[in-house]
Amino acid sequence: IRGLLEPLCDGMVKDEETRNRYYGIMLHEVERLSRLITDMLQLSRLQSGTESMNITLFDVNELLDDVSLSLMPEAKKRGLQIEVETKEELPDVMSDRDKIEQVLVILIDNALRYAKSKVRLIVNEDKHDVFISVWDDGCGISKDSLSRLFERFYRVDKSRSKKAGGTGLGLSIVKHIAVLFGASLKVESKVGEGTEFFVIFNTGDTMDNS
């Protein structure tokens, strides 16, 4: 930003087209820094236990429909499809709906960055567990990278990171939100075939604790 501001302030940039290009680059960088600061502040609050919570009982199927609908324009812009598979008579989950929505948005956004043609959201149930999975048909993640996936600023192999945007903090935020609300995370991936993230809620424990 400074490198672009200095020639503008010194009057070295004469034509309007170049000035507008400089302004566009600076705006992009300011927005990136703003996202980074916001993510770092939230991660700090999550780690210190000072993040605000609003626990309610909510419908998981409804949440998936809302999230997929909000991200559909971005998917279409990238030439991708978002498919949603819900399950009837699914028990409601007691948690912070906004925070779980944030988790799904981060996971879906990551999936859209690497998918070749589609991203699939699936919700299922097994006894007291409700599973929400986000699957993409992208290039996959190597086994060496899977164990470090939720570390701050960690980037996986170049085949995935060359498309990566964001702040590098999204998956770390996902991990801390899951821990905060008693959910668990699981990742399955095959190089060249795709990746699937699972967010798992124990509805039996959740309801007992409520």
Side-chain angles (χ1 to χ4, degrees), residues 70-129:
S70 69
L71 292 173
M72 204 70 76
E74 180 63 26
K76 288 182 178 179
K77 190 189 301 182
R78 296 170 185 252
L80 302 170
Q81 292 181 324
I82 296 180
E83 299 177 351
V84 182
E85 297 180 19
T86 57
K87 182 179 176 63
E88 293 183 3
E89 299 182 359
L90 196 69
D92 289 345
V93 167
M94 181 73 76
S95 190
D96 187 318
R97 190 186 192 278
D98 289 343
K99 293 294 189 302
I100 302 306
E101 180 175 352
Q102 183 182 5
V103 164
L104 294 178
V105 167
I106 291 171
L107 293 178
I108 296 167
D109 183 65
N110 275 1
L112 290 172
R113 294 178 192 278
Y114 305 116
K116 296 174 184 175
S117 63
K118 70 178 69 172
V119 171
R120 188 176 295 140
L121 310 181
I122 305 169
V123 61
N124 216 326
E125 177 192 10
D126 179 22
K127 295 182 180 179
H128 290 302
D129 291 335

Side-chain angles (χ1 to χ4, degrees), residues 170-184:
L171 290 180
S172 186
I173 289 173
V174 164
K175 175 186 174 182
H176 283 87
I177 290 176
V179 169
L180 184 63
F181 295 107
S184 56

Side-chain angles (χ1 to χ4, degrees), residues 133-191:
S133 71
V134 179
W135 173 87
D136 70 75
D137 62 352
C139 54
I141 305 170
S142 67
K143 289 183 178 179
D144 292 340
S145 295
L146 282 176
S147 62
R148 302 187 60 191
L149 205 55
F150 296 99
E151 294 179 12
R152 287 184 297 174
F153 300 114
Y154 179 72
R155 295 292 190 189
V156 296
D157 55 87
K158 292 180 181 179
S159 63
R160 282 181 69 94
S161 62
K162 66 180 181 181
K163 289 186 179 181
T167 61
L169 293 172
L171 290 180
S172 186
I173 289 173
V174 164
K175 175 186 174 182
H176 283 87
I177 290 176
V179 169
L180 184 63
F181 295 107
S184 56
L185 295 170
K186 180 181 176 184
V187 187
E188 294 180 356
S189 187
K190 290 185 179 179
V191 175

